[in-house]
């Protein structure tokens, strides 16, 4: 079974920096068993910091990190390093250029790779051939560590253990398990290392690369017809064989600044932000614009009129900064305003807010939500904010699983109410064929904002805006008929929000859930379900005489419970586990101690609607409130 399928297997607890002699012994062990001195020098440079990290839960495994990159796994940390088994990670195999420089290679057909990326073992029918390690004369023995490589791409996609003799895999019609996969592309260790992708790894597919084609050409194999795996496999196997037999070690070239920028642009990373998580220097003008955007975001998504009046420092620290996009910084001192009072005065001058007169510190007394700048602002999703990132474990800690740049599981969902487009036929028909086709969503549902956008498009095309009041539209026959089917349509003019509510008011409510997916495929999975969002209950109780907090109903959103439990454990710094359903208890997440308030707050931060979180702590088992010193006087 794969070693790193669960997030808890890479929840690192502490680290130990190796001294010079210990690092030298480890380098000697790598040289003796994994390819020689050149491999050991590439993985463990003499002046690099070598760190050992361990995980809890009774596991004896330890992980070798070099410059924040995991290169080796020692399953038994109690054994002497010269005798213990050392498993190279995928990153170390990619670093040395060719997997056969360190381990024997099991070539598989490319369509088989997607099953390996899900944690499946390699079966004999999917094996193309078996190649010995560089410099080895005999094929690998049963039980030996092997690198699993897809035909046509030299980058390893898994590390496993050979289960049958290599010669038997070449027999036609062979069935059964061939390689037991231990570490694979897409598992939790890969995510904890930053989810890197070598060339040709697209989603859960492996594509042929030019490097493999050049290797095949240099070996003298001119075969064509890569359309069929069986035909193209000969040329691809020759490429890997040429690398294994050449006896030369070729480390991969370092990525240049331009190639890193292009890769960042492809993956949608912010300009100027490096893969290691560094931030570009932001100009004062750009920071000033960022301040305005974060103010609009806070005003539309967090601040309510009942929160006013509000001290300016609280507005900035507790509302604007948490609303910034994840991975960015917000600093009023780095802007052209330099001081918060100057920025808030600027906002008052723009007509966005009103400040308390003759106050020693800025106090916001009113937010003018009808201002055109405020109305036109489209807030970004809550799931991409810094607050959601910190709640999901992305923004904290310097550990290997602390950030997305440093990997680790992610806990984040986005829930919004939607309505079926099929039940909005009057509005769709009124849009016209071209606009209706463009406005129809992939999942067949509209949110309220999308419905308002469709109405605005229709009003612009038909020129229905009132000449003296651009906030209201005059209904024509089509819009009036559509509105009358949903509500009262006898008004001469109405706002976009009013007619949208008339359209949607009589329809059954659905909800759309968007959840980021881990593993090799990645992306975001969106589902639409009937009714209101499911209720998540936070309770308190006891298990075997210990106080615990229980979270029930989170699985109804379709989330990875193990990953969410790992993120909650990081957020609360306490023991968290997934509790399986039994005759006495139901399926959910169990937290050690009474943390009902903290759990309810965490659920709201990661995206669960506040109305769907029920804090049902038992009397006498609530979370204790933090006591404030009696000598502090509030003004």
């Amino acid at each position: 079974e794969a070693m790193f399928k669960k997030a808890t297997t890479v929840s690192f607890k502490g680290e130990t920096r190796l001294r010079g002699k210990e690092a030298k012994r480890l380098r000697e062990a790598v040289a003796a068993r994994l390819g020689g001195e050149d491999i050991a020098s590439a993985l463990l440079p003499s002046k690099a910091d070598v760190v050992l990290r361990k995980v809890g839960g009774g596991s004896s495994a330890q992980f070798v990190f070099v410059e924040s990159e995991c290169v080796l796994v020692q399953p038994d940390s109690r054994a002497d390093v010269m005798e213990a088994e050392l498993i190279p990670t995928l990153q170390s195999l990619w670093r040395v250029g060719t997997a056969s420089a360190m381990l024997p290679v099991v070539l598989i057909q490319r369509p088989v790779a997607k099953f390996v990326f899900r944690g499946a073992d390699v079966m004999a029918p999917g094996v193309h051939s078996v190649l010995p390690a560089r410099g080895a004369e005999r094929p690998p023995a049963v039980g030996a560590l092997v690198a699993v490589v897809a035909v046509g791409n030299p980058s390893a996609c898994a590390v496993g253990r050979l289960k049958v003799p290599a010669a038997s895999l070449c027999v036609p019609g062979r069935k059964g398990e061939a390689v037991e996969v231990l570490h694979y592309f897409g598992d939790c260790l890969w995510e904890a290392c930053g989810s890197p992708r070598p060339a040709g790894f697209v989603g859960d597919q492996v594509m042929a690369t030019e490097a493999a084609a050049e290797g095949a050409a240099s070996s003298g194999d001119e075969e064509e017809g890569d359309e069929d795996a069986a035909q193209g496999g000969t040329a691809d196997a020759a490429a890997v064989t040429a690398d294994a037999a050449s006896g030369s070690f070729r480390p991969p070239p370092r990525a240049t600044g331009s190639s890193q920028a292009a890769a960042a642009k492809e993956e949608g990373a912010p300009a100027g932000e490096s893969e290691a998580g560094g931030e570009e220097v932001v100009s004062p003008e750009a920071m000033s614009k960022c301040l305005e955007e974060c103010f609009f975001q806070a005003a539309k998504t967090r601040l309510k009129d009942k929160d006013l009046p509000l001290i300016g420092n609280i507005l900035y620290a507790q509302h604007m900064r948490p609303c910034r996009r994840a991975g960015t910084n917000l600093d009023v001192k780095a802007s052209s305003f330099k001081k918060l009072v100057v920025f808030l005065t600027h906002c008052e001058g723009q007509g966005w807010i009103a400040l308390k007169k003759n106050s020693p510190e800025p106090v916001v007394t009113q937010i003018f939500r009808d201002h055109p700048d405020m109305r036109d602002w489209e807030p970004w999703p809550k799931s991409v904010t810094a607050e959601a990132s910190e709640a999901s474990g992305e923004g904290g800690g310097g550990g290997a699983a602390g950030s997305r740049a440093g990997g680790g599981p992610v806990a984040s969902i986005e829930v919004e109410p939607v309505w079926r487009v099929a039940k909005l036929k009057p509005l769709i028909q009124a849009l016209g064929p071209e606009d209706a086709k463009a406005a129809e969503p992939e999942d067949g549902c509209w949110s309220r904002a999308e419905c308002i956008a469709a109405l605005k498009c229709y009003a612009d095309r038909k020129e229905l805006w009132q000449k003296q009041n651009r906030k209201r539209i005059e209904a024509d026959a089509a819009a009036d008929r559509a509105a009358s089917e949903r509500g009262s349509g006898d008004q001469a003019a109405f706002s976009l929000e009013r007619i949208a509510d008339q359209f949607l008011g009589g329809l059954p409510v659905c909800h759309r859930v968007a959840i980021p997916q881990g593993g090799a495929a990645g992306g975001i999975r969106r589902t639409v379900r009937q009714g209101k969002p499911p209720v998540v209950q936070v309770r308190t109780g006891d298990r075997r005489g210990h106080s615990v907090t229980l979270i029930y109903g989170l699985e109804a959103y379709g989330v990875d419970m193990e990953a969410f439990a790992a993120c909650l454990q990081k957020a609360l710094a306490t023991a968290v586990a997934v509790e399986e359903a039994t005759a006495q208890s139901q399926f959910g997440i169990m937290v050690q101690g009474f943390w009902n308030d903290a759990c309810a707050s965490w659920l709201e931060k990661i995206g669960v609607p506040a109305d769907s979180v029920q804090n049902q702590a038992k009397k006498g088992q609530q979370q204790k409130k933090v006591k404030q010193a009696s000598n502090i006087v509030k003004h």
Side-chain angles (χ1 to χ4, degrees):
E1 185 181 356
M3 298 174 62
F4 312 111
K5 274 190 174 182
K6 296 183 178 181
T8 52
T9 58
V10 291
S11 298
F12 303 114
K13 300 296 183 182
E15 63 180 40
T16 303
R17 193 175 305 277
L18 290 186
R19 293 175 295 180
K21 292 183 178 180
E22 296 172 338
K24 183 178 179 181
R25 292 190 75 240
L26 179 61
R27 198 176 298 111
E28 292 174 355
V30 172
R33 278 172 283 170
L34 294 175
E37 292 290 344
D38 50 356
I39 298 294
S41 300
L43 294 183
L44 305 167
S46 58
K47 295 185 179 181
D49 289 334
V50 182
V51 175
L52 298 182
R53 290 196 174 109
K54 295 184 179 182
V55 296
S59 173
S60 60
Q62 68 180 6
F63 302 78
V64 180
F65 281 79
V66 178
E67 304 294 346
S68 301
E69 182 178 313
C70 184
V71 295
L72 296 168
V73 178
Q74 183 179 342
D76 187 4
S77 60
R78 294 164 295 188
D80 184 71
V81 70
M82 299 301 295
E83 300 177 358
E85 182 180 45
L86 298 176
I87 302 176
T89 63
L90 292 177
Q91 281 186 298
S92 60
L93 293 176
W94 297 338
R95 177 185 284 193
V96 300
T98 173
S100 59
M102 296 181 68
L103 295 175
V105 173
V106 173
L107 280 175
I108 61 173
Q109 307 291 354
R110 283 201 299 274
V112 179
K114 65 180 179 181
F115 300 103
V116 176
F117 291 169
R118 298 170 190 168
D121 293 333
V122 178
M123 308 305 289
V127 175
H128 177 277
S129 57
V130 181
L131 304 175
R134 184 187 66 180
E137 298 180 356
R138 296 181 180 180
V142 176
L145 292 176
V146 294
V148 179
V149 179
V151 166
N153 192 312
S155 299
C157 55
V159 177
R161 199 180 303 279
L162 193 63
K163 301 292 288 184
V164 296
S168 65
L169 293 176
C170 302
V171 178
R174 170 78 186 188
K175 295 183 179 181
E177 184 180 356
V179 178
E180 178 190 9
V181 172
L182 304 176
H183 167 40
Y184 60 92
F185 178 84
D187 65 3
C188 292
L189 178 59
W190 170 78
E191 289 186 346
C193 292
S195 305
R197 286 181 179 269
F201 282 51
V202 181
D204 59 353
Q205 304 291 328
V206 177
M207 307 299 178
T209 59
E210 296 180 0
E214 292 175 0
S218 65
S219 66
D221 194 342
E222 301 295 340
E223 287 188 281
E224 297 181 355
D226 190 54
E227 294 294 325
D228 184 72
Q231 292 179 348
T234 307
D236 297 321
V240 182
T241 307
D243 285 337
S246 62
S248 61
F249 167 67
R250 298 175 296 174
R254 295 280 182 181
T256 61
S258 59
S259 63
Q260 287 180 349
K265 184 177 180 181
E266 268 186 23
E267 297 181 5
E273 187 170 332
S274 67
E275 188 179 270
E279 296 176 356
E280 65 173 339
V281 178
V282 181
S283 65
E285 293 75 15
M287 183 60 72
S288 300
K289 184 179 180 181
C290 186
L291 278 169
E292 294 178 350
E293 292 177 348
C294 290
F295 166 73
F296 289 143
Q297 179 77 9
K300 297 199 75 169
T301 62
R302 295 174 64 96
L303 291 173
K304 296 179 173 54
D305 291 338
K306 65 180 182 180
D307 298 328
L308 303 177
L310 188 66
I311 299 175
N313 285 329
I314 297 179
L315 168 66
Y316 175 71
Q318 298 183 15
H319 296 280
M320 289 175 58
R321 280 187 56 81
C323 278
R324 72 187 188 276
R325 289 183 180 271
T328 63
N329 187 28
L330 187 69
D331 187 1
V332 68
K333 295 181 180 178
S335 68
S336 57
F337 301 109
K338 301 301 181 183
K339 293 184 178 181
L340 182 61
V341 63
V342 179
F343 168 71
L344 294 177
T345 304
H346 163 75
C347 294
E348 185 180 34
Q350 294 291 327
W352 301 336
I353 61 174
L355 296 176
K356 185 178 180 179
K357 303 299 182 183
N358 302 322
S359 175
E361 61 178 345
V363 178
V364 179
T365 59
Q366 188 176 359
I367 298 177
F368 299 105
R369 304 184 187 276
D370 290 335
H371 194 282
D373 294 341
M374 192 77 69
R375 278 201 327 267
D376 296 341
W377 170 256
E378 293 292 338
W380 48 73
K382 185 178 179 180
S383 59
V384 302
T385 62
E387 181 181 49
S389 174
E390 292 170 1
S392 64
E394 294 182 37
S403 64
R404 195 59 175 168
V410 177
S412 176
I413 61 177
E414 184 179 347
V415 184
E416 61 176 343
V418 293
W419 291 262
R420 297 282 182 186
V421 173
K423 297 183 179 181
L424 299 175
K425 291 182 180 179
L427 178 57
I428 296 176
Q429 293 172 357
L431 283 173
E434 295 182 0
D435 293 336
K437 184 177 180 180
E440 188 171 356
E442 295 181 359
D443 57 5
C445 291
W446 267 348
S447 65
R448 184 175 182 271
E450 292 166 341
C451 182
I452 292 176
L455 280 170
K456 184 177 183 297
C457 176
Y458 177 74
D460 291 340
R461 188 162 60 86
K462 294 290 186 178
E463 298 181 355
L464 299 179
W465 298 102
Q466 284 187 340
K467 294 182 180 180
Q468 288 133 10
N469 188 355
R470 294 286 297 175
K471 296 181 182 179
R472 302 176 73 84
I473 62 175
E474 296 178 351
D476 61 354
D480 187 63
R481 183 180 69 254
S484 63
E485 294 187 14
R486 294 288 119 202
S488 58
D490 54 353
Q491 299 177 3
F494 36 76
S495 64
L496 287 177
E497 291 79 4
R498 178 64 180 274
I499 191 174
D501 292 338
Q502 289 179 357
F503 273 113
L504 305 177
L507 296 177
V509 181
C510 305
H511 63 278
R512 179 190 293 148
V513 181
I515 304 174
Q517 298 298 292
I524 296 177
R525 179 168 57 88
R526 292 181 173 86
T527 57
V528 176
R529 304 182 184 185
Q530 298 288 345
K532 296 181 179 181
V535 173
V536 180
Q537 298 178 345
V538 180
R539 305 178 184 176
T540 54
D542 59 86
R543 292 290 185 273
R544 298 180 181 178
H546 296 278
S547 303
V548 295
T549 302
L550 305 167
I551 301 176
Y552 294 136
L554 188 59
E555 70 280 359
Y557 287 90
V559 303
D560 184 350
M561 296 290 281
E562 291 285 350
F564 273 52
C567 293
L568 181 57
Q569 177 173 329
K570 182 177 179 64
L572 299 183
T574 188
V576 180
V578 176
E579 186 179 38
E580 300 296 336
T582 63
Q584 292 79 22
S585 61
Q586 60 188 99
F587 181 71
I589 294 178
M590 180 173 60
V591 184
Q592 181 179 3
F594 294 146
W595 294 95
N596 54 293
D597 293 337
C599 289
S601 176
W602 180 81
L603 289 170
E604 295 178 15
K605 286 182 179 180
I606 65 172
V608 179
D611 297 339
S612 300
V613 179
Q614 295 182 356
N615 192 342
Q616 300 178 341
K618 295 181 180 179
K619 186 176 180 180
Q621 294 184 348
Q622 295 93 346
Q623 179 179 346
K624 294 183 179 179
K625 295 182 179 180
V626 179
K627 294 183 180 179
Q628 187 170 356
S630 59
N631 60 341
I632 297 178
V633 180
K634 292 185 177 180
H635 296 284

